[in-house]
Amino acid sequence: MVYLKRKIDTFLTEWKREPGHKPLIVKGPRQVGKTESIRRFGEQNYKYVVEINFVEEPKYKMIIADGYKAADLIRNISRMDPAKRFEEGETLLFFDELQEFPEIATALKFFAQDNRYDVICSGSMLGIHYGRIESNSVGYKTDYAMYSLDFEEFLWAKGYREDIADELLGHMQDEKPFNEAELSVYGGLFLDYCTLGGMPAVVREYIVKDSFEGSLAIQRQLLTDYEEDVRKYAQGMDQVRILNVFRQIPVQLSKDNKKFQISKVASGARFKDYRGCIEWLADAGMINVCYCMHFPELPLKGNYDETKYKIYFADSGLLVAMLDEEAQEDLRANRNLGVYKGALYENVVGEALVKSGYDLYYYKREDSTLEEDFFVRTAKDLIPVEVKATNGRAKSLRTLIKGDKYEDIRYGIKFTGGNVGYDDQIYTFPYFCAFLLKRYLKGR
């Protein structure tokens, strides 16, 4: 099987090198490649890898029978399977599917104190139990959030060299337009990425076959798996409500007003009944929630209305897989996004921001047409970010930059299907540069 290089590969290597490193918890949505990356890292860096999967082997939940101390757990694991070998400094203990047995997180404190073996935990849907895990292991673990492939990882999968991002970033920093060939190649690859999303199984199929053949079937199977997770992990009536919200996202994203309206989800639906459903999907890593700011000023945290938000898919491929048959055919055969053009580009830019470490915020003024897609910040500036499906004028962006009311805003960013440019305090970049925004702003 083709291994797709991931950013976690570098993180894991650096984690192991760090003296006195703590047990690691890798959290993220299902099927984004957590197990594959950790397993490969273990095989390349340890003499022994002891892997315990709490879904496939629930019997190992009994290893805490004598308590949570490292020596007791190791002894019980060895009793249950004498073939599992433990050698000080040469063994990685890998607990997978942690969501099935979050109690094991209590043991991380004792493994950190014992310090003879490296420990990595991983699981999908971790947000559902993460409060319990956090309280059981605070101060004795390192966290890593893993997502589906971002555009940089997608370029690696396509065979581009590891420093390809530096080349693209150089164009942004120097305000140097891409030549026609570069714009065509990277723009085409980005449209492929928008269509496929970043789920490893989908990308791998695309790389192996060098076509979209089979990708939609895999995407739809992933959707089925996600819905099965909802039925497995959510309680009672919430299952229906959560699925109703999830299925309504593409419909509401296709509208000009992308604010998510609970009243459209089901007859008589009210925010207070559905609030937990939005949080559940976000904790599960299935969606990204973008909150409406009270006013475009710093700070961002706390400066938003939790009852007003837009909902995006955490992976654009899931949005694409939920489009109707005609839209699917038009997209894959003719590369035409139709009415979903704005929705998909906005979704994929939001996805890029989240994968870069940003939370999502937008602004819409109730008494005017002023609306801005996203906001990010540096140490001293608030930066509005606009995603344009066409290369039209960015009226709201100019209002925010020029207006006397918005003291924290000095310039703006616009992502379009066009080239690099700068005009009237607005920096314009192609969509395919969105994953570099944080690195670009850091260097300003």
Side-chain angles (χ1 to χ4, degrees), residues 22-37:
K22 299 172 184 176
L24 175 65
I25 293 183
V26 178
K27 54 180 179 172
R30 65 174 292 145
Q31 301 189 34
V32 295
K34 300 183 298 296
T35 299
E36 183 182 8
S37 293

Side-chain angles (χ1 to χ4, degrees), residues 266-404:
S267 177
R270 295 174 299 176
F271 171 75
K272 69 184 186 69
D273 297 325
Y274 277 80
R275 177 176 178 171
C277 301
I278 311 297
E279 292 173 352
W280 195 99
L281 287 165
D283 285 345
M286 294 163 70
I287 63 169
N288 295 322
V289 183
C290 181
Y291 287 102
C292 185
M293 300 168 67
H294 290 304
F295 188 79
E297 64 183 358
L298 296 173
L300 288 171
K301 291 191 183 298
N303 176 25
Y304 63 87
D305 185 341
E306 62 180 16
T307 69
K308 296 177 183 176
Y309 46 81
K310 296 183 289 187
I311 300 179
Y312 301 106
F313 285 96
D315 184 88
S316 63
L318 299 182
L319 168 58
V320 168
M322 292 179 78
L323 303 185
D324 54 61
E325 294 292 341
E326 292 75 19
Q328 287 286 348
E329 189 174 334
D330 208 15
L331 173 58
R332 290 167 196 273
N334 305 316
R335 311 191 82 156
N336 179 31
L337 303 175
V339 296
Y340 292 99
K341 186 174 185 177
L344 184 54
Y345 283 133
E346 203 173 306
N347 195 100
V348 84
V349 170
E351 179 186 340
L353 296 181
V354 169
K355 289 176 177 178
S356 301
Y358 287 116
D359 293 322
L360 298 184
Y361 302 95
Y362 78 104
Y363 179 66
K364 179 171 175 57
R365 208 164 98 187
E366 295 295 338
D367 60 351
S368 79
T369 57
L370 180 66
E371 182 173 8
E372 197 53 71
D373 297 325
F374 300 109
F375 286 84
V376 297
R377 68 163 301 173
T378 61
K380 57 185 179 182
D381 290 317
L382 178 65
I383 301 140
V385 177
E386 186 149 322
V387 183
K388 295 292 283 186
T390 62
N391 286 335
R393 289 177 60 82
K395 184 180 175 184
S396 290
L397 195 51
R398 294 179 191 280
T399 301
L400 289 166
I401 295 166
K402 302 289 187 184
D404 295 334

Side-chain angles (χ1 to χ4, degrees), residues 66-77:
D66 299 318
Y68 290 95
K69 289 187 177 177
D72 293 333
L73 266 64
I74 299 301
R75 184 172 60 250
N76 284 333
I77 292 169

Side-chain angles (χ1 to χ4, degrees), residues 7 21 24 45 109 116 140 236 243 247 253 258 288 334 337 339:
K7 292 179 178 178
H21 50 271
L24 175 65
N45 290 274
K109 171 182 178 180
R116 287 181 295 160
Y140 293 98
L243 289 173
R247 292 166 182 165
L253 278 180
K258 294 179 174 58
N288 295 322
N334 305 316
L337 303 175
V339 296

Side-chain angles (χ1 to χ4, degrees), residues 119-247:
V119 179
I120 299 179
C121 299
S122 171
S124 305
M125 315 293 287
L126 269 183
I128 314 309
H129 298 289
Y130 205 69
R132 189 163 28 141
I133 291 170
E134 180 69 31
S135 63
N136 289 349
S137 55
V138 62
Y140 293 98
K141 62 174 176 55
T142 299
D143 291 310
Y144 183 89
M146 191 170 179
Y147 306 96
S148 61
L149 281 79
D150 67 8
F151 187 56
E152 183 175 11
E153 291 171 316
F154 180 78
L155 290 175
W156 294 344
K158 285 289 291 180
Y160 285 83
R161 62 185 187 279
E162 207 167 315
D163 63 352
I164 183 65
D166 295 335
E167 180 186 316
L168 302 182
L169 183 60
H171 280 267
M172 298 172 73
Q173 292 169 331
D174 300 336
E175 295 169 33
K176 176 187 172 187
F178 292 91
N179 66 39
E180 199 174 322
E182 291 170 327
L183 207 59
S184 174
V185 169
Y186 295 131
L189 286 166
F190 186 73
L191 192 52
D192 284 357
Y193 174 71
C194 288
T195 306
L196 295 159
M199 298 301 269
V202 180
V203 175
R204 188 177 286 112
E205 187 81 358
Y206 161 82
I207 297 297
V208 170
K209 293 186 175 177
D210 196 25
S211 76
F212 292 126
E213 183 190 347
S215 61
L216 180 57
I218 298 173
Q219 287 172 323
R220 286 185 169 162
Q221 183 58 52
L222 286 167
L223 283 172
T224 300
D225 293 344
Y226 270 49
E227 293 201 357
E228 284 178 3
D229 272 349
V230 173
R231 294 186 182 95
K232 180 177 180 180
Y233 290 101
Q235 303 300 315
M237 276 294 292
D238 276 352
Q239 292 181 9
V240 176
R241 288 176 179 158
I242 289 167
L243 289 173
N244 284 345
V245 169
F246 189 65
R247 292 166 182 165

